[in-house]
Amino acid sequence: MVGSAGNHGPVVTAADLSSAVYAAEELEETAKLLVLLHARQPRRLTVAQVDELHAVFGKS
């Protein structure tokens, strides 16, 4: 779970500390991408690309 604590930045909770740290790192990297790609037009993955990702990493 990710939330905002006003002026204190994001708050991340998880089942254990390791999972919370991982979630915080993922949030930080996603925020970096948002800043870097702000003015760019997104390109959606094709169905074939999504299928390939599911084959490699599993479907959640």
Side-chain angles (χ1 to χ4, degrees), residues 7-30:
N7 293 330
H8 302 287
V11 175
V12 178
T13 62
D16 55 57
L17 181 59
S18 179
S19 297
V21 170
Y22 179 79
E25 289 174 346
E26 286 296 310
L27 177 62
E28 182 179 355
E29 291 303 316
T30 302

Side-chain angles (χ1 to χ4, degrees), residues 21-43:
V21 170
Y22 179 79
E25 289 174 346
E26 286 296 310
L27 177 62
E28 182 179 355
E29 291 303 316
T30 302
K32 283 181 189 177
L33 285 172
L34 179 65
V35 170
L36 291 172
L37 301 175
H38 174 69
R40 299 197 181 206
Q41 206 52 357
R43 292 183 298 158

